Amino acid sequence: MSTLEVNEVFVGRPSVLGVKRDVPVYSAIAKSRVEAPSLKLDEINLAGDDQADRTVHGGVDKAVYVYPATHYAAWAEQGFPVVAGDFGENVSVTGADEYDVRVGDVWAWGDALVQVSQPRTPCFKLAMKTGRKDVIPAMIDSGRSGWYLRVLRTGEVPTSGRMTLEERDPVNPTIAEVYVASFTNVAQLEGDRHDAYWSLLDRVLAAPALSRQYRDGLESAKRRREERNAG
């Protein structure tokens, strides 16, 4: 796997997605397909894209959200009538999924260089967008999360064509492994599986390119577990 095929690119601005406790919920999860052959990618966003709350969405470590197109059929089989763009993705791709892509992978996309930083963690806005609360556990259980990119070099990027793998450390965890480290119920593990989990977690935390926000959450969970064991 040395290339990804870019199928479609989507961008959107924040708008009212719905209402929660009588308060309007703003989000840019509803995106439109880009018809132009290319567009500008800066350190934070594709041209025409934005986020409503950068404390939890967007920012330098989550500038672009990539989603494998092969997952749409799997969602449909589970009764979720979704199409490309419905998950708030910026880029729909074929050629790899979460089991292939590794944290720290560097990809050339047009004039830009981008780096894989973390998986996507679903939130209530995805449930509002799809009209299905069960989409959140379904994404976690299936691992069909997609992944985020940070921008190492800005530039003009095509809305079709390829991303080419430029750099990879095979020691780094895959996106699927990061998801396992994040959502495994450790209390239910026994014996060798328990030890294997902590070994995996250490390997995930050792990946230099893992986003700070994601790393903080995993480190906090690890500390709580160590404190319980010590007590």
Side-chain angles (χ1 to χ4, degrees):
M1 183 271 299
S2 58
T3 61
L4 289 173
E5 193 71 26
V6 175
N7 298 327
E8 297 175 283
V9 174
F10 304 89
V11 298
R13 301 287 191 183
S15 60
V16 176
L17 179 64
V19 177
K20 186 176 183 180
R21 298 189 183 95
D22 298 324
V23 177
V25 175
Y26 286 85
S27 174
I29 193 172
K31 300 186 185 296
S32 300
R33 185 177 185 271
V34 177
E35 300 297 337
S38 66
L39 71 167
K40 185 73 174 179
L41 174 62
D42 63 24
E43 293 89 348
I44 300 294
N45 277 313
L46 288 160
D49 201 46
D50 205 351
Q51 293 79 36
D53 182 1
R54 288 189 185 164
T55 63
V56 290
H57 300 287
V60 294
D61 285 333
K62 293 185 284 185
V64 178
Y65 177 38
V66 180
Y67 203 75
T70 53
H71 290 341
Y72 303 129
W75 283 108
E77 289 175 2
Q78 283 188 269
F80 293 89
V82 297
V83 296
D86 281 351
F87 290 101
E89 62 268 41
N90 294 116
V91 189
S92 172
V93 300
T94 51
D97 62 18
E98 293 82 359
Y99 290 89
D100 305 308
V101 172
R102 295 182 181 274
V103 171
D105 282 356
V106 176
W107 297 82
W109 181 22
D111 298 330
L113 276 182
V114 292
Q115 183 181 49
V116 178
S117 59
Q118 67 165 78
R120 187 251 190 92
T121 299
C123 72
F124 77 95
K125 291 182 179 179
L126 177 61
M128 293 184 75
K129 173 66 168 59
T130 59
R132 296 278 297 269
K133 291 182 179 179
D134 56 340
V135 73
I136 295 175
M139 179 174 280
I140 292 171
D141 291 345
S142 68
R144 297 192 294 264
S145 64
W147 55 89
Y148 284 103
L149 305 173
R150 64 170 60 89
V151 179
L152 302 182
R153 185 178 71 212
T154 63
E156 195 79 9
V157 296
T159 56
S160 64
R162 292 180 175 178
M163 292 186 188
T164 303
L165 185 63
E166 296 288 308
E167 181 181 321
R168 160 171 289 175
D169 185 343
V171 173
N172 285 337
T174 65
I175 291 296
E177 288 175 321
V178 177
Y179 232 51
V180 169
S182 302
F183 294 108
T184 294
N185 186 337
V186 184
Q188 294 183 350
L189 300 179
E190 297 180 358
D192 292 345
R193 295 184 65 195
H194 190 275
D195 293 339
Y197 169 80
W198 290 109
S199 177
L200 172 62
L201 179 59
D202 286 340
R203 188 159 66 87
V204 169
L205 290 173
L210 184 67
S211 71
R212 171 48 58 187
Q213 185 180 54
Y214 214 91
R215 183 186 305 279
D216 286 348
L218 289 174
E219 287 178 341
S220 178
K222 182 180 180 180
R223 283 195 301 271
R224 290 195 300 270
R225 178 70 179 182
E226 290 171 343
E227 289 167 359
R228 286 196 298 270
N229 289 342

